[in-house]
Amino acid sequence: MAAGGGSPSIVEYFGGEDGYRCGYCKNETGNLSHGMWAHSMTVQDYQDLIDRGWRRSGKYVYKPIMNQTCCPQYTIRCQALRFQTSKSHKKVLKKMLKFISKGDVSKVVSEEEPMDSHIEDVVPSDFAYKSESQVSQTELTPLNEDHAEGVENEDKDNVETKEETNVKKVESGSLQIPVDKDAAGPGEPSHSSKTVHAPPKPGKGADLSKPPCRKAKDIRKERKLQKLLQNQMGTLEGSPLQAGHQALLSQNSKTPTNQPKSIEDFIFVSLPDDTPHKLEVRVVRSSPPSSQFKATFQESYQVYKRYQMVIHKDPPDKPTINQFTRFLCDSPLEAENPPNGPECGYGSFHQQYWLDGKIIAVGVIDILPYCVSSVYLYYDPDYSFLSLGVYSALREIAFTRKLHEKAPDLCFYYMGFYIHSCPKMRYKGQYRPSDLLCPETYVWTPIEQCLPLLELSKYSRFNQDAKAVDEGHIKDLGRVRVLHKRTIMPYSVYKKRRKGPSDEASVQQYASLVGQTCSERMLLFRS
């Protein structure tokens, strides 16, 4: 969808950085990743990148070097449409409901999940800005497409090698990716949406192929109802009411009376006007900043500053406005509002939690073609007793389900990274059903199948098909899109024009990490 119109993504690739400090195991140089600066990015490109293990911090987009980094970080997504609340989730939802409706302040903390921020992957650190781009805006503005067309045709007019003869030429003057049989169409999930399934094993949780267990109390109720209906039918034999009773009996036998409550049942409860508290959730576009975002910027920043100082023990001079802006407000994502998309559009947003007229928490999120991606959460430490980390995650899952009604492809909730080697980060696996991304083939695998492998080794390939490969791997380096001297050209042309040492190894690494589809759609800036 996003690839078909608007301005293309423009990125600067920095390669693998020196190791930097790990926020999980505190190793000073063990955290290793590849990184690039995104000057602009379409939501479709970012969706495809996070489906290959990338993630953003402000405008810096990075991908952990999974088999080398000290704490491997696996992309995790929750299947929002099938999500079932756990016992501890229900406790959090009920606690918020009691607080709003009765003013009840319960400080009982669940032992199953931490009640801190539910997204702790990205902490404001210097690594994201070590390689901050110094390129001017002029250099990033492509010349008109007629000029680009001439450059792309140059490759056809020049002498063709035997190897080039077999390569289909890049479509002239177009910023769109050439059609590839293996590539996902604009409205279709990428290849990485494939999921590996295995039959349930004994002792490994509920067998979803069997009907859910039912309480004895509900079975007794149903029998009583059956008996009552049979007695009534005896007196109403032959009357039109009989069919209705039979339908009721049939319906009752099919649907268990103990249907589990959904998140919506807890969140969207109609309350009287005189409740002690009022909670309102507002979604405001953060990039480009909407008028509502600008009007609440200072109040939101003050909540962030207190959160960083109290929860993360930052000194007062660390959480500056500049750091807050670069880390949580700046975004490379282009705002898009297609007619078949969600009403708020796609892009980057702040989901503000207003309690009695003041902001108490903010969830930073990206709304993408197939998912809501959670970036960060900060909250007023005075309201820690409300378990706002878990509560906001549940609200974001409910929000994903709501957006799905208007945008059918949008049905996943991405929680960032799952780090099994860091016990305090394992709670993300409690949001079920969820999948982890295979770091080698980029297919989704149910987390239940991944956990035994991660117990054996902190790095693991989840796809058990030994012959399976990355289907989005780079097939033709010459077709990688390059932006050089404000001119869009395929790498095959740029390579001939380039002066100085070859950069082919760096471009090859970039293309293999972003995949063929993104490498042909995004513009790789070359000075």
Side-chain angles (χ1 to χ4, degrees), residues 229-241:
L229 290 175
Q230 282 168 356
N231 291 340
Q232 287 180 342
M233 273 187 244
T235 59
L236 297 169
E237 192 69 46
S239 74
L241 289 174

Side-chain angles (χ1 to χ4, degrees), residues 96-97 99-100 267 271 275 277-282 352-358 360-361 386 388 391 395:
M96 178 63 84
L97 191 56
F99 175 70
I100 295 168
I267 293 172
L271 297 169
T275 54
H277 299 289
K278 298 278 191 298
L279 178 69
E280 182 188 356
V281 178
R282 300 179 194 169
Q352 301 173 336
Y353 294 78
W354 290 76
L355 181 71
D356 304 332
K358 71 171 186 174
I360 63 161
L386 288 173
L388 291 168
Y391 182 76
R395 287 292 300 233

Side-chain angles (χ1 to χ4, degrees), residues 59-242:
K59 290 189 171 187
Y60 185 77
V61 188
Y62 64 100
K63 184 183 191 310
I65 304 175
M66 296 292 282
N67 58 354
Q68 295 178 36
T69 193
C70 55
C71 296
Q73 301 161 59
Y74 299 91
T75 303
I76 182 170
R77 72 176 188 186
C78 172
Q79 297 178 34
L81 305 188
R82 295 178 55 214
F83 175 74
Q84 292 292 334
T85 47
S86 69
K87 195 176 284 187
S88 63
H89 293 152
K90 287 174 186 174
K91 281 182 184 176
V92 171
L93 293 169
K94 287 174 182 175
K95 180 162 56 175
M96 178 63 84
L97 191 56
K98 278 184 184 177
F99 175 70
I100 295 168
S101 60
K102 299 175 184 176
D104 181 36
V105 179
S106 168
K107 300 210 174 189
V108 178
V109 178
S110 165
E111 293 176 2
E112 290 183 40
E113 297 175 29
M115 295 312 178
D116 193 3
S117 169
H118 62 288
I119 299 297
E120 291 289 349
D121 315 318
V122 191
V123 288
S125 60
D126 296 333
F127 92 85
Y129 307 108
K130 279 182 187 174
S131 308
E132 186 166 356
S133 176
Q134 303 301 319
V135 179
S136 70
Q137 191 56 46
T138 307
E139 292 178 85
L140 295 169
T141 309
L143 297 166
N144 62 54
E145 289 195 24
D146 292 337
H147 184 70
E149 185 174 349
V151 173
E152 296 212 14
N153 284 330
E154 177 186 315
D155 205 29
K156 296 179 183 177
D157 299 333
N158 289 344
V159 179
E160 295 179 352
T161 63
K162 289 180 182 178
E163 294 166 356
E164 286 174 327
T165 312
N166 298 325
V167 177
K168 186 180 177 184
K169 295 294 178 286
V170 178
E171 189 180 337
S172 307
S174 170
L175 294 181
Q176 298 178 29
I177 176 175
V179 176
D180 185 336
K181 283 189 292 184
D182 298 330
E188 302 163 5
S190 64
H191 65 85
S192 59
S193 295
K194 292 177 182 175
T195 306
V196 181
H197 288 288
K201 295 176 183 176
K204 294 290 183 184
D207 185 346
L208 299 178
S209 63
K210 294 180 181 177
C213 295
R214 296 171 60 195
K215 294 178 181 175
K217 181 175 73 173
D218 295 311
I219 295 171
R220 285 198 301 273
K221 274 186 187 175
E222 188 175 309
R223 284 180 186 154
K224 191 175 180 182
L225 181 64
Q226 281 179 328
K227 201 170 183 181
L228 182 68
L229 290 175
Q230 282 168 356
N231 291 340
Q232 287 180 342
M233 273 187 244
T235 59
L236 297 169
E237 192 69 46
S239 74
L241 289 174
Q242 186 182 354

